[in-house]
Amino acid sequence: MTDNDKPRPSNFIRHIIAEDLRQNKNNGRVHTRFPPEPNGYLHVGHAKSICLNFGIAAEFNGKCNLRFDDTNPEKESLEYIEAIMADVRWLGFDWEDRLYYASDYFERLYEYAEILIRDGKAYVDDLSADQMREYRGTLTEPGRESPYRNRTVEENLDLFRRMRAGEFGDGARVLRARIDMTSPNINMRDPVIYRIKRAHHHRTGDRWCIYPMYDYTHCISDALESITHSICTLEFEDHRPLYDWCLDQLPVPCHPQQIEFARLNLNYTITSKRKLNELVTEGHVSGWDDPRLPTITGMRRRGYTPAAIRDFCERIGVTKNDTVIDMSVLENCVREDLDRNCKRIMAVLRPLRVVISNYPDGQIEQLDAPYHPNRPELGSRPVPFGKVIYIERDDFMADPPKKFFRLAPGREVRLRYAYFIRCDEVIKDNATGEVIELRCTYDPATKGGNAPDGRKVKGTLHWVAADHALTAEVRLYDRLFSVPDPGREADWRSTLNRNSVEVIKSARLEPGLASALPEERFQFERLGYFCVDRRDAALNHPVFNRTVTLKDSWVKESQGG
Ligand code: ATP
Ligand code: MG
């Protein structure tokens, strides 16, 4: 079943759009946009916005633009632009020929600002930033009008043109909308719409020394692109009157409707671009694509699939109230997708050597092992079996408690796809007492996993033939933070989980994995889902990332299990 065949839970945005279509608003057009600022990499919260904007467009036969909101040149860069485009594509969405930049509208934004000035709806203010803050008032007190508020149109036009021409220093003057200093909504108290800033812009170079502010730019960009529904997060709800005010004053082609929804918050992680940036630049993680980060590129490197992320965004729904989603919801979406679609193979992370005493020296058998129990169409592969194998250290106990059903002295278990073996002897390191090898015997009659005499074993172990094993580095990831809401702590760095990654240098894998491709995903039987690291894996140095465990072990822990 593809995403499009799945029944979609409805939400209030779909209702609004369906109703608009019923009334033939916008002549039946639906046109949305995803408007990232290229000042960082996209994260799982952006994935929600991407799925929503592109998803709604697809569902209603509309279009969705990708638009970079690039009005803040100091923090923006080409690296981010390219990463954002790659991430949106990887998630499975296509803006076709509709790639836009707010900076492409700088000239028109400037012309619109002159119109506001001519209409007495904008003025150049000389107050300093501190003074402006003082004049702005508070939530309980109205603001006061700037002494420069009543400049003539001619004076304002002259000053604004000279701002553009570079006659004044950075921050010396601003252009403000002339709205209402007593408005209960602080956003309407004559907001700044242009500032002077000598900063090199990644697209417009040094052509401009004045830059339009976000609120002013965003609504006009939407209108110039004939957006019908401008979907954004709740923090912009109080900005909506300004969005509408700007468009009402100007001869723009249309007036899009702004609709706000609650942003995605996930526990045990952070989705603030600023903090993500700090994690990367301070070296707490290995880069923007560190598999522990909730960035799209990090999730990709970890092995999450686009389908799982889209499924997650669909399941969490779209609402007007802020909630925190449990990380396990995302992980379960990943598990479900990988469970259905991954080949299953055997790998031993912490090898314990097992010698099968009665197995002929030098003999190798190729056992046929299907890739998926429920999907025969995925085929099977030969797995070599020999006299010396590795099993997982955890699968043996010298002195097992009652409920331990795996290997122990005198105990018989099944080797997956192979034979029953019985543990006869335990070899320990003389100095440390550590178990270093087991001597076992196998029952040739149990080939394939069943005993003709009907005797049963309780445990089935995965294993890898020692002489044929592929040695690989395997990275086990855990949550990056050790508290549910790290963003809330003032000292959020101190809540980093010190054990969020464990590197196993020489895991032993089935030899067939030597030909695994970058990003290829597998279930390592009994261990979890793993994928080939797209950055560090090399031909003679395989590296696998654990994407997610087979089961949600956090549920147990948090319930004290
Ligand atoms: P900042 O962290 O600096 O506030 P931002 O996360 O809002 O930035 P933008 O690049 O402006 O980053 O975001 C692009 C779009 O993604 C916006 O429409 C924004 O509303 C949406 N978005 C950002 N974070 C989330 C989130 N956590 N959940 C849902 N949508 C989000
Ligand atoms: Mg933003």
Side-chain angles (χ1 to χ4, degrees), residues 37 214 235-236 273:
E37 182 181 353
Y214 175 85
E235 69 270 22
F236 290 102
K273 273 200 219 165

Side-chain angles (χ1 to χ4, degrees), residues 109-110 112-125 148-157 160 174-179 190-194 216 245-246 249-250:
L109 290 160
Y110 177 85
Y112 282 134
E114 285 210 352
I115 293 178
L116 288 180
I117 294 173
R118 278 204 199 88
D119 291 347
K121 294 190 175 134
Y123 62 98
V124 173
D125 198 348
Y148 304 99
R149 196 176 196 261
N150 294 315
R151 280 177 158 149
T152 62
V153 167
E154 290 66 34
E155 192 182 359
N156 279 319
L157 266 183
F160 187 50
V174 292
L175 185 71
R176 297 178 72 174
R178 196 168 186 274
I179 309 178
D190 292 9
V192 173
I193 57 177
Y194 265 93
Y216 174 73
W245 182 90
C246 288
Q249 314 310 312
L250 292 167

